[in-house]
């Protein structure tokens, strides 16, 4: 069990590896990354199993940016026939768990395994129940995550349910709402799922709250806010979706998002403008620093190279800025499933 299997967006293996290496150094879980560009996963190999366990215990999963899912364990080769018996044998070295997830890389090869995984799930769960390694007991803290590269090679991983992704492969199953004006709408919905606990939506995304949407057109993000009955000032020189304007909850300002100041402080600022990260950081400082909003979701477009370093620098810059200004702000950042060459930041001001 001396490997950590990390999943990420295809093409971001270097960033995921840099990220785990940084944490591994901090917690003395030295190792090396095995990966290939475009495969959507990284194996972090340490000297012994305790290093992986320590890393997963010390690092909060929700602090990770490029890492979508993780588990500690080992790769296992299964026979062509009766894979189940062979897997049940492997599970003897694992604790009892409350759940088993079947996962695959987020690539076309991975997708081609979907029907195999679907067919294998029921017999696997039945077999695990029978030998007692899977229990319908919500108290059990761990989960087995099987990460299939093909039907015969699988990483048998273990993760703490409270400190790993909330969805298999870290991918939320969100349905595109047909009435929404753009596909970007899912980015904001995913951000909320990720950054705002579901039980707090009614108080933090409440009807009659106010929001500013910078770079709003045609209105996918505004649409999400309106669904929550939030009043929106939509700032963009481009046209907004007419049906969305009919809601009566949206005021459209044809203005530059970098110049726009709200008449009164709002509950939320959201921003999806394609800009240099440093300029976006400046915008965040203005809004949270002046208290123009209480919470923000801001998309940070990444440069072509040194993407991990750039994100680290921006986050450090923001932390220093708010520290010096004496403003208490929590900052989180994640590459969401719906993010491409970008990450999404969430900020919340407490004083
Ligand atoms: C990626 S689109 C936003 C999509 C939107 N979030 C949605 O869900 O429909 C970026 C938008 O930013 C706008 N934009 C670019 N620069 C801007 C600026 N300086 N101020 C305001 N809007 C800007 C563009 O006109 C474009 O509509």
């Amino acid at each position: 069990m001396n490997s950590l299997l990390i999943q990420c967006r295809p093409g971001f293996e270097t960033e995921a590896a840099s990220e785990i290496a940084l944490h591994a150094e901090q917690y003395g879980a030295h190792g090396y990354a095995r990966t290939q560009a475009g495969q959507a996963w990284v194996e972090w190999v340490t000297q012994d199993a305790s290093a992986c366990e320590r890393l997963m215990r010390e690092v909060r999963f929700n602090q990770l940016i490029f890492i979508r899912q993780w588990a500690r364990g080992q790769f296992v080769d299964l026979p062509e026939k009766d894979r189940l018996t062979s897997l049940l044998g492997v599970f003897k070295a694992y604790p009892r768990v409350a759940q088993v997830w079947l996962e695959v890389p987020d690539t076309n090869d991975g997708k081609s395994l979907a029907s195999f995984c679907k067919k294998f799930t029921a017999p696997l769960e039945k077999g695990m129940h029978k030998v007692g390694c899977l229990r319908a007991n919500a108290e059990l803290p761990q989960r087995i995550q099987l990460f299939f590269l093909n039907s015969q090679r699988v990483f048998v991983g273990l993760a703490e349910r409270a400190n790993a992704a909330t969805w298999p492969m870290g991918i939320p199953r969100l349905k595109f709402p047909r009435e929404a004006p753009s596909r970007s709408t899912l980015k904001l919905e995913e951000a909320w799922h990720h950054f705002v606990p579901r039980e707090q939506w009614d108080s933090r995304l409440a009807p009659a709250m106010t929001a500013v949407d910078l770079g709003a057109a045609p209105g996918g993000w505004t649409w999400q806010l309106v669904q929550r009955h939030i009043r929106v000032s939509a700032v963009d020189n481009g046209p907004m979706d007419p049906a969305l304007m009919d809601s009566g909850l949206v005021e459209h300002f044809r203005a530059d998002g970098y110049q726009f100041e709200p008449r009164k402080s709002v509950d939320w600022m959201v921003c999806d403008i394609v800009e240099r990260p440093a300029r976006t950081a400046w915008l965040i400082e203005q809004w949270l620093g002046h208290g123009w909003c209480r919470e923000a979701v801001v998309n940070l477009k990444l440069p072509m190279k040194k993407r991990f370093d750039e994100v680290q620098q921006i986050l450090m810059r923001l932390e220093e800025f708010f520290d010096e200004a004496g403003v208490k702000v929590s900052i989180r950042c994640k590459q969401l499933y719906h993010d491409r060459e970008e990450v999404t930041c969430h900020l919340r001001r407490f004083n």
Side-chain angles (χ1 to χ4, degrees), residues 205-344:
L205 290 162
M209 278 187 159
T210 51
V212 171
D213 183 355
L214 302 175
W221 287 28
T222 294
W223 185 87
Q224 289 289 342
L225 292 155
V226 166
Q227 287 305 106
R228 307 280 317 161
H229 304 281
I230 294 172
R231 291 196 160 272
V232 187
S233 300
V235 184
D236 202 306
N237 274 315
M240 292 295 285
D241 177 65
L244 186 57
M245 298 307 294
D246 288 346
S247 67
L249 287 173
V250 184
E251 192 176 355
H252 184 187
F253 294 84
R254 290 184 186 275
D256 180 354
Y258 286 86
Q259 307 277 325
F260 184 85
E261 285 183 28
R263 283 190 288 265
K264 265 171 62 180
S265 294
V266 293
D267 297 292
W268 283 88
M269 182 275 275
V270 297
C271 175
D272 191 21
I273 298 177
V274 182
E275 247 300 349
R276 284 177 298 114
R279 197 145 184 248
T280 307
W282 174 84
L283 190 77
I284 292 173
E285 289 165 359
Q286 297 306 301
W287 278 79
L288 275 295
H290 287 116
W292 292 345
C293 65
R294 184 151 285 276
E295 293 196 57
V297 169
V298 178
N299 212 279
L300 198 64
K301 310 290 167 189
L302 298 178
M304 295 297 283
K305 288 186 185 156
K306 297 205 166 184
R307 299 178 292 199
F308 182 70
D309 293 348
E310 180 78 29
V311 173
Q312 290 292 105
Q313 273 170 24
I314 295 287
L315 294 178
M316 238 144 57
R317 164 184 164 164
L318 290 174
E319 261 170 36
E320 278 169 20
F321 176 88
F322 291 124
D323 266 0
E324 276 171 28
V327 179
K328 210 170 156 243
V329 174
S330 75
I331 307 172
R332 285 177 62 195
C333 180
K334 187 84 188 174
Q335 186 173 44
L336 303 172
Y337 174 66
H338 292 94
D339 282 336
R340 289 164 185 260
E341 298 288 316
E342 59 205 345
V343 292
T344 299

Side-chain angles (χ1 to χ4, degrees), residues 110-180:
K111 285 186 191 105
S112 69
L113 290 167
S115 74
F116 159 75
C117 288
K118 211 170 160 192
K119 274 193 221 141
F120 194 50
T121 301
L124 174 71
E125 287 181 345
K126 201 171 153 201
M128 288 175 78
H129 272 299
K130 210 164 154 190
V131 298
C133 57
L134 180 66
R135 292 278 168 95
N137 177 354
E139 304 286 303
L140 289 176
Q142 291 169 323
R143 171 169 63 218
I144 281 180
Q145 290 168 196
L146 299 177
F147 183 72
F148 284 93
L149 296 187
N150 54 52
S151 58
Q152 282 178 258
R153 187 152 173 82
V154 59
F155 187 89
V156 182
L158 188 68
E160 276 61 38
R161 291 155 69 208
N163 198 32
T166 321
W167 307 278
M169 295 161 63
I171 302 178
R173 299 277 161 222
L174 302 181
K175 205 166 158 237
F176 175 67
R178 266 195 298 152
E179 327 78 69

